[in-house]
Amino acid sequence: MTDSAEQHDGVSRRAQIMLLLASVGGAVSNFGILFVSAKVLDVQENTEFLVFWSLMFGLFGVQSGLQNEATRATTNPSPRGARALVTGTIIGTVSLAVLAATAVLWAPRMLPLSPLPGAATVCLLGMLYPLYVTMVGALGGSRRWETYGLTLLTEVGVRVALVLAIAALGLGLAGFEIASAGGILALVLLPALSPAARRALARRADVPVGRALRNAGWAMTSTTCTALLVTGYSALVAAVAPNASLGDRGPAAAAALMGACMLAVSLTRAPLMMPLTAFVGVAISAFTKHTGTVREAVGRPFLMLGALGLVGACAAWPIGPWALRLFKPEYDLPGWYLASLTASSTLMAWLTILGALALATNRHRLYLGGWCLASAVAIGCLVLPLPLLVTTTLSLSLGPALGCLLFWTALTRPRAHALDTDPAPEVLP
């Protein structure tokens, strides 16, 4: 496919189909992988796999800031700007060093049944994922939406194929962890096969290397808070929730409750957040071209996401407990809890949309502040000496709600009411 066929302001119908398939396929595949792991692994192994899954996607969430920034920065490249490959390589090298140096602190605590293979996989992902998201972000910035969608779709397919193979071979917990990361590891080879991917990595940003790294650092600092609430939330619960929140349960019952809550969070988030995450690059690109008001920019997605969240919450109350027990009979949670988690996913989706709008208008401090506020409130709720179902419900509702309030107040102030898609960049410290 030629550049002229792909590179245009709009998103072609074929690209839209690929993006839809990638987002829906990602959500469905995650359901499938979690279902297979629950059936193949015992309760304690599956709880650890859910922690690994959350660690992996939490890392992806942190580094996804690089994708968002690459999309923004390469939309209007400068001849003196940093090349995407250079930025991604530097960040990947730093990530590897940090993860490897700290592995002795987090791996034995969070992955006690498979500390070595689990930590090695996370460290390798920390090095390679920045290259992948830089490439995907640059594809979005250059409007090569068909290649963008095909890349996301391929990653989903490779991950599912590897997990099913590991399950069939009976390679256990470590095998599931390595296979879950396999999609990203395989796609590092994509630039060798795709001219469009190579051109994306060679594309320049709008600023030199030093400023590009600073902007990417701010974006990833912000998405660190995002990851704590979205993809890495289950790992956060395992790390900070007090033992008192599990009551007087024995080790097996406590592991079952923790695993059930982790799985419930993943299942209720995926229907909204997986598709939305796949389209964030499109949203940022669209917001950079939007010339209307904030209400006009977000009104339609807000209504659509709100309607989906309401329908989902109504369905989750009667159906959710039964569906959860299909994964494991030990996973027994009340309907109100699953409904509240589903409803809170709407708040998270709104927070994501408003954050994308802040980033698209180059308001990095606001983006950071909104997500940090939401994360700080969520963590504060988790450490309360209350039952786990109560603290997680408060955490996932109150935190995003306050973050949305901050974003909305700042973005709709009179001087920011009309979107300025080419503002003077903030002077970041």
Side-chain angles (χ1 to χ4, degrees):
M1 179 175 295
T2 64
D3 284 354
S4 61
E6 280 195 87
Q7 192 170 351
H8 47 76
D9 288 341
V11 183
S12 69
R13 183 174 298 275
R14 182 177 175 183
Q16 290 176 0
I17 292 173
M18 286 184 177
L19 287 169
L20 181 61
L21 288 175
S23 59
V24 174
V28 172
S29 71
N30 284 354
F31 279 116
I33 289 171
L34 296 179
F35 183 80
V36 170
S37 73
K39 291 299 183 183
V40 172
L41 304 175
D42 64 33
V43 170
Q44 290 184 319
E45 288 176 333
N46 194 56
T47 298
E48 180 163 321
F49 177 71
L50 290 170
V51 173
F52 172 84
W53 183 266
S54 182
L55 277 173
M56 180 178 72
F57 279 97
L59 177 63
F60 292 174
V62 170
Q63 295 177 336
S64 69
L66 182 56
Q67 176 180 334
N68 297 341
E69 178 59 24
T71 297
R72 188 204 64 79
T74 59
T75 297
N76 298 299
S78 166
R80 301 181 63 183
R83 294 198 182 275
L85 177 61
V86 174
T87 305
T89 299
I90 293 173
I91 292 175
T93 302
V94 172
S95 297
L96 173 63
V98 171
L99 288 168
T102 59
V104 69
L105 301 176
W106 52 264
R109 175 180 176 83
M110 305 194 79
L111 306 171
L113 301 180
S114 59
L116 183 58
T121 303
V122 171
C123 290
L124 188 59
L125 285 172
M127 179 181 68
L128 297 179
Y129 194 70
L131 295 174
Y132 169 71
V133 291
T134 298
M135 178 182 66
V136 172
L139 286 170
S142 57
R143 308 297 202 277
R144 295 189 177 98
W145 297 116
E146 291 187 17
T147 305
Y148 180 104
L150 180 61
T151 301
L152 298 178
L153 189 60
T154 302
E155 191 272 330
V156 170
V158 171
R159 185 195 308 148
V160 171
L162 289 175
V163 168
L164 291 178
I166 290 298
L169 293 173
L171 297 183
L173 175 61
F176 270 89
E177 292 172 346
I178 295 170
S180 297
I184 299 301
L185 303 182
L187 280 176
V188 172
L189 302 175
L190 186 62
L193 306 174
S194 170
R198 291 195 295 273
R199 284 191 288 270
L201 287 172
R203 191 171 175 87
R204 291 188 181 275
D206 58 345
V207 290
V209 173
R211 181 61 183 272
L213 289 173
R214 289 170 63 193
N215 285 349
W218 276 101
M220 288 192 296
T221 301
S222 302
T223 50
T224 297
C225 297
T226 309
L228 288 175
L229 281 180
V230 184
T231 52
Y233 186 77
S234 294
L236 177 66
V237 173
V240 306
N243 292 333
S245 67
L246 298 174
D248 297 327
R249 294 172 177 82
L257 176 61
M258 184 68 73
C261 288
M262 290 179 178
L263 184 59
V265 169
S266 296
L267 296 182
T268 54
R269 282 295 155 83
L272 280 185
M273 295 306 298
M274 284 291 293
L276 184 59
T277 300
F279 279 91
V280 162
V282 178
I284 292 173
S285 182
F287 286 149
T288 61
K289 301 296 182 182
H290 189 78
T291 57
T293 65
V294 172
R295 288 180 176 84
E296 290 170 346
V298 303
R300 184 173 296 177
F302 266 37
L303 289 175
M304 181 182 69
L305 291 167
L308 290 174
L310 179 60
V311 171
C314 292
W317 194 307
I319 298 174
W322 167 80
L324 199 62
R325 286 192 293 270
L326 290 179
F327 286 77
K328 274 194 180 300
E330 296 91 341
Y331 291 166
D332 188 14
L333 295 176
W336 68 263
Y337 180 66
L338 293 159
S340 69
L341 292 182
T342 305
S344 71
S345 68
T346 298
L347 294 171
M348 195 70 65
W350 288 349
L351 189 66
T352 301
I353 291 290
L354 290 172
L357 180 57
L359 186 61
T361 52
N362 214 21
R363 303 186 67 178
H364 291 81
R365 285 197 183 97
L366 175 60
Y367 185 85
L368 176 62
W371 278 104
C372 283
L373 173 63
S375 297
V377 172
I379 293 172
C381 292
L382 278 179
V383 300
L384 294 173
L386 298 172
L388 187 63
L389 301 190
V390 175
T391 58
T392 49
T393 299
L394 289 174
S395 172
L396 291 172
S397 301
L398 188 58
L402 292 178
C404 284
L405 180 61
L406 175 61
F407 275 143
W408 187 262
T409 301
L411 288 168
T412 57
R413 283 185 300 179
R415 68 180 182 85
H417 187 68
L419 290 183
D420 180 3
T421 58
D422 190 24
E426 291 183 335
V427 179
L428 301 179

